[in-house]
Amino acid sequence: MSNNNSKVSEIMIESYLHDCRLKMGESIREIREKKGYNQEQLADIMKVSRTTISKIENGKFNCSMDYLSKFSWFLGFEIKINKNK
């Protein structure tokens, strides 16, 4: 693969990852709000900072599987992998 094609692929992957983080963050925000928590309350029960919650919800934080699992536990949702793109 040429250097130029490699750079284009990297940009496309970064864009895809950013879109995934945004979708995940929006979903977490919707679930949090439906459960009646504000960011501060959720941060307290998860033992993380409110800033971390905000960054995850806004797609500005590369959320680890551990964080995602904590959200799932405290907000009561199941993590699923959709096989269809």
Side-chain angles (χ1 to χ4, degrees), residues 24-35:
M24 184 181 66
E26 289 170 3
S27 295
I28 289 171
R29 177 184 292 120
E30 288 174 10
I31 295 167
R32 173 183 58 76
E33 289 174 347
K34 284 181 185 175
K35 295 286 182 173

Side-chain angles (χ1 to χ4, degrees), residues 6-62:
S6 179
K7 288 180 183 177
V8 169
S9 292
E10 285 179 36
I11 291 169
M12 290 173 63
I13 290 169
E14 284 302 314
S15 177
Y16 177 77
L17 293 174
H18 178 71
D19 289 346
C20 288
R21 285 191 300 266
L22 283 173
K23 288 177 190 175
M24 184 181 66
E26 289 170 3
S27 295
I28 289 171
R29 177 184 292 120
E30 288 174 10
I31 295 167
R32 173 183 58 76
E33 289 174 347
K34 284 181 185 175
K35 295 286 182 173
Y37 293 114
N38 62 35
Q39 288 181 344
E40 189 69 39
Q41 292 167 323
L42 183 58
D44 285 344
I45 65 171
M46 287 181 59
K47 308 269 189 267
V48 299
S49 72
R50 190 211 50 82
T51 304
T52 298
I53 301 291
S54 176
K55 286 180 181 178
I56 291 170
E57 290 184 352
N58 289 298
K60 297 179 180 181
F61 185 85
N62 185 3

